[in-house]
Amino acid sequence: MKKLAIIATLILSMAVVFIGCKDKRSPGSVYMPDMAYSRAYESYATRDSAIFTMDPNDAGHKIFFNNLPPAGTLKRGELYPFNVPNDSNGLLNLSSLVKNPLEPLTGKDLEEAGRLFNINCAVCHGAKGENNGPLAAKVGGVKSIIALSPTYSDGRIFFVTEYGQLNMGSYASQLSREQRWRIVQYIRTLEPKTAPATTTPAAKTDSATVAKK
Amino acid sequence: MSRYRKIFNRIFTSIFLVVLLSINNQSLAADGAALFKANCASCHKIDKDFTGPALKGWKDRVPAGDWIYKWIGNPGAQTDPYSTTLKAKWKPVVMTKFDNLKKDEVDAILKYVDDWAPPTPTAVPGGEPATDNSLLFGILTLVLALIAFILLQVNSNLRKLSDEKEGVLRPEPVPAYKNKTYLMAGILLLFAVGGYYTINGAIGMGRMQNYQPEQPIFYSHQVHAGTNQISCLYCHGGAQDSKQASIPSVNTCMNCHKSINKYEGPDKLVREDGTAVDGTAEIQKLYAYAGWNEATKTYNADKNNDGNPDGAKPIEWVKVHNLPDHVYFNHSQHVKVGKQQCQTCHGNIQQMPEVYQFSTLSMGWCINCHRDTKVDFYDKENKTGNKYYSIYEKFHKDLKSGKMDSVTVEKIGGTECQKCHY
């Protein structure tokens, strides 16, 4: 009996050692899978039902959650959808009828808009909209924002962020409508005639520090 | 009586040998290299800039005298011109203070930095690097143990012979495998070594430090966030707005890869096992996931009416970092309010070809950071800092009277159980 106990202890501790040292390609084991892996569906997470499931029919499946919100729904606090159709009539005529729904930005809000611009736009368009971002040459065909925007209405700039244009993709999935309307206002401050370039927050952040965040 | 003493002596010798075997020679003396590794290496490299400046040649750059000790003791409080320029250069990162280091320890680190020479790539075929002596010491210990064992045996044999000669009768000596002393020593050894590995294994279970899963596409953060300077928040925008940092959907990749269809970057793409990766082929994989037709530069038509281009499907990226479900963690709290750099927890992502889990993500790791990190406390006089903290009346009083010099996350409840476990 005593011998058995000793052997059992040895085997158990060997098992712990064996589970503990793991290959870095595998996540290893956990003590309580039902406490470690979420039973709720986390966004963008894979739920691997080989690890944990309550439903026997589900065992061994991987479920990947990367879905759009249901059609026709609106996130709380989000602005109303941009209903201009994605065609040339929408681009050239209808978009200009949409006004920027936000109050003019000042101070911190404008700085925040500048930060978003530096993260999302400056990588191609450059921190001052001069088409000199680190990726501009690689993507190719990048337009100079400050050269074009004075001739565009707010709605038309927003149209481009909503649907994309030429080589540029849609930013509707990355930035909320409010954030994009803010960026439209920020672009206005970059234009040479409306604001002197020295007072723009963009002067603070060059493209090298953007990548750090 | 003497018999017991003999047994005691033998047990003592055995334990001594066990201890000798288990002591790692590096833990005997604290030296500059170890101190450097423990305190500095997470942010400083000696020969090149990292999170902080390269340390080589520090003597020629910093003001003479005891500036360096003051700086290491509390970098935040230094206001001399050199400190100010240094801080301005490395903004927003300010060095953590190391007031726990004594002067001689700082000296040891500095000496290590001064004496450091770049590792020369030695290409001796079959030759082992001679830097680690622990193998040699191990062999030496084993040889000594063997000699001790042989001597013990010789001793008992000689005694047996002399006993026979003198006609003294003694009980037949027990063989070695039944000898309780040896058995005891063996069990102790097994206990020590087995216990060490068992405990380490038990602690390591459920932690996934260095977990580096193979992803469906060889996506190099080094190329994107490092060389091409794309902000982390460009793809992981959720980190500033929500609990999840979020994995970008395929259309985010296609923002640039609509036009970038070849890999021509300066970085060599190499897998962990050393095999080269064809970057252009990896971009083709992305096109397959996105349902993008490279020749016509359009997405495939949506003939089956599922709202996506035909053939398109989400990329099943493998999640690297997983906190247990019983821990609440919110990215936006740390990124937006706490103004933490991504690299603080995720390591130098911009230098990782394949992402691995840099931190342990253990509770002790969280708590330690909460104890050390200062919050952006509201300064009532200058009206700077996070205004949320204006309600902490007692801390404002204590700060004014000099009772405390800064407010850490712990002070505002960052180590309360219910902050993360509820």
Side-chain angles (χ1 to χ4, degrees):
Chain A
M1 202 56 220
K2 213 171 163 191
K3 244 185 213 167
L4 267 182
I6 292 173
I7 291 171
T9 317
L10 272 178
I11 289 177
L12 258 179
S13 53
M14 285 305 285
V16 170
V17 172
F18 192 68
I19 291 167
C21 20
K22 60 216 159 197
D23 162 32
K24 66 178 174 182
R25 291 295 192 193
S26 90
S29 313
V30 292
Y31 282 109
M32 292 170 196
D34 55 337
M35 284 171 83
Y37 295 101
S38 177
R39 291 166 67 179
Y41 297 166
E42 297 270 11
S43 63
Y44 292 101
T46 315
R47 197 180 61 126
D48 189 346
S49 59
I51 295 171
F52 176 77
T53 182
M54 291 287 279
D55 179 4
N57 299 324
D58 192 24
H61 287 279
K62 267 192 175 174
I63 305 164
F64 190 72
F65 295 94
N66 189 354
N67 294 330
L68 290 170
T73 57
L74 202 60
K75 195 173 86 176
R76 210 199 289 194
E78 174 67 306
L79 298 174
Y80 287 116
F82 184 73
N83 279 329
V84 176
N86 183 14
D87 53 28
S88 63
N89 185 34
L91 172 68
L92 299 174
N93 305 320
L94 300 179
S95 66
S96 301
L97 301 175
V98 182
K99 296 274 171 303
N100 193 334
L102 305 178
E103 299 284 310
L105 299 178
T106 49
K108 282 219 160 132
D109 288 339
L110 198 60
E111 237 173 78
E112 166 69 11
R115 193 180 68 86
L116 290 172
F117 179 88
N118 284 331
I119 290 170
N120 292 285
C121 317
V123 69
C124 289
H125 290 291
K128 289 178 185 165
E130 289 166 326
N131 182 19
N132 55 0
L135 275 181
K138 288 176 187 167
V139 169
V142 179
K143 297 278 189 280
S144 164
I145 289 185
I146 47 169
L148 281 176
S149 69
T151 62
Y152 282 7
S153 65
D154 282 1
R156 182 161 175 182
I157 300 177
F158 190 88
F159 183 96
V160 174
T161 66
E162 174 86 18
Y163 296 116
Q165 210 174 6
L166 301 173
N167 275 349
M168 179 176 153
S170 161
Y171 279 72
S173 71
Q174 274 157 282
L175 294 164
S176 71
R177 283 183 275 272
E178 185 175 347
Q179 286 173 324
R180 280 179 285 139
W181 279 119
R182 283 176 174 219
I183 288 176
V184 170
Q185 289 204 24
Y186 178 75
I187 289 172
R188 295 291 177 217
T189 68
L190 290 177
E191 290 168 6
K193 57 180 178 185
T194 44
T198 46
T199 57
T200 57
K204 260 191 355 187
T205 330
D206 64 355
S207 55
T209 55
V210 170
K212 279 190 134 187
K213 186 85 199 194
Chain B
M1 202 60 218
S2 72
R3 195 168 150 242
Y4 285 117
R5 189 184 292 158
K6 218 176 281 161
I7 288 178
F8 175 77
N9 276 346
R10 281 194 185 177
I11 289 179
F12 183 77
T13 331
S14 320
I15 290 178
F16 183 61
L17 284 175
V18 169
V19 169
L20 251 188
L21 271 170
S22 59
I23 282 186
N24 189 336
N25 65 317
Q26 279 180 342
S27 63
L28 286 173
D31 54 346
L35 282 168
F36 177 83
K37 233 176 236 166
N39 295 295
C40 321
S42 61
C43 295
H44 288 287
K45 281 191 176 168
I46 296 179
D47 55 340
K48 52 178 169 250
D49 289 352
F50 196 39
T51 312
L55 295 183
K56 195 88 189 149
W58 62 275
K59 222 174 245 173
D60 310 328
R61 294 189 306 240
V62 308
D66 58 358
W67 179 90
I68 190 81
Y69 302 110
K70 276 195 211 153
W71 172 263
I72 292 171
N74 190 357
Q78 305 308 317
T79 49
D80 59 286
Y82 184 72
S83 303
T84 321
T85 49
L86 202 60
K87 278 184 217 166
K89 190 180 168 201
W90 292 95
K91 214 163 57 169
V93 184
V94 180
M95 186 172 139
T96 325
K97 67 174 175 183
F98 289 94
D99 44 9
N100 55 333
L101 287 178
K102 291 182 211 66
K103 192 161 179 273
D104 55 325
E105 287 174 327
V106 174
D107 284 334
I109 294 174
L110 293 176
K111 188 167 177 313
Y112 168 74
V113 169
D114 289 339
D115 295 346
W116 184 84
T120 44
T122 44
V124 187
E128 267 182 286
T131 45
D132 191 14
N133 286 334
S134 51
L135 185 71
L136 190 71
F137 284 131
I139 292 173
L140 254 168
T141 320
L142 270 181
V143 168
L144 284 177
L146 202 68
I147 290 174
F149 180 74
I150 291 171
L151 285 179
L152 281 173
Q153 287 297 325
V154 168
N155 188 18
S156 77
N157 282 344
L158 281 178
R159 189 184 301 123
K160 206 168 144 194
L161 282 178
S162 77
D163 285 351
E164 271 173 17
K165 209 174 173 189
E166 286 170 19
V168 183
L169 271 177
R170 279 181 199 259
E172 188 68 15
V174 273
Y177 64 90
K178 273 188 183 167
N179 188 326
K180 284 201 172 142
T181 318
Y182 296 147
L183 279 180
M184 190 63 183
I187 287 170
L188 275 177
L189 184 80
L190 206 69
F191 182 75
V193 175
Y196 174 78
Y197 282 108
T198 307
I199 299 230
N200 259 7
I203 291 175
M205 203 167 129
R207 291 195 189 160
M208 304 174 190
Q209 196 176 18
N210 296 328
Y211 174 43
Q212 189 176 32
E214 211 154 344
Q215 302 287 358
I217 294 180
F218 186 92
Y219 173 88
S220 166
H221 276 80
Q222 188 188 21
V223 170
H224 291 82
T227 308
N228 287 325
Q229 298 174 25
I230 301 171
S231 164
C232 303
L233 293 172
Y234 183 93
C235 305
H236 302 288
Q240 54 187 334
D241 298 324
S242 80
K243 180 173 176 262
Q244 312 280 350
S246 74
I247 297 164
S249 53
V250 182
N251 74 311
T252 309
C253 312
M254 293 303 289
N255 279 347
C256 296
H257 281 291
K258 265 192 205 172
S259 29
I260 302 178
N261 54 12
K262 279 196 188 69
Y263 179 70
E264 295 162 331
D267 305 302
K268 278 222 171 78
L269 301 179
V270 181
R271 266 195 198 87
E272 276 298 304
D273 56 12
T275 50
V277 179
D278 179 4
T280 307
E282 298 297 317
I283 297 177
Q284 294 299 326
K285 278 193 209 167
L286 168 69
Y287 289 161
Y289 278 112
W292 173 260
N293 187 333
E294 202 195 338
T296 58
K297 286 207 164 259
T298 48
Y299 287 105
N300 299 335
D302 181 17
K303 285 186 188 132
N304 56 8
N305 267 324
D306 62 351
N308 293 315
D310 283 355
K313 56 180 182 183
I315 309 171
E316 291 192 28
W317 300 106
V318 183
K319 194 176 183 189
V320 182
H321 302 80
N322 185 55
L323 273 181
D325 199 28
H326 53 78
V327 189
Y328 178 81
F329 174 84
N330 190 321
H331 268 95
S332 63
Q333 227 174 347
H334 290 81
V335 173
K336 193 120 190 195
V337 183
K339 297 203 170 59
Q340 291 299 315
Q341 300 288 316
C342 307
Q343 284 84 348
T344 309
C345 304
H346 292 287
N348 273 315
I349 284 274
Q350 74 275 20
Q351 293 167 359
M352 293 182 194
E354 281 185 271
V355 168
Y356 64 89
Q357 182 174 322
F358 172 78
S359 310
T360 56
L361 300 188
S362 67
M363 186 168 123
W365 172 83
C366 293
I367 296 285
N368 273 346
C369 192
H370 280 192
R371 284 193 182 129
D372 293 345
T373 310
K374 296 180 184 95
V375 299
D376 186 15
F377 204 71
Y378 186 63
D379 184 345
K380 279 188 170 170
E381 277 155 26
N382 304 321
K383 296 213 186 314
T384 55
N386 189 341
K387 209 171 176 191
Y388 172 77
Y389 300 119
S390 61
I391 55 171
Y392 288 81
E393 281 301 328
K394 183 174 179 299
F395 291 157
H396 280 289
K397 249 184 245 161
D398 286 355
L399 278 174
K400 217 172 192 181
S401 66
K403 223 186 223 174
M404 57 199 286
D405 57 355
S406 56
V407 182
T408 59
V409 181
E410 184 185 21
K411 294 257 167 58
I412 57 158
T415 55
E416 299 287 332
C417 308
Q418 288 89 344
K419 277 269 159 152
C420 314
H421 302 289
Y422 55 85

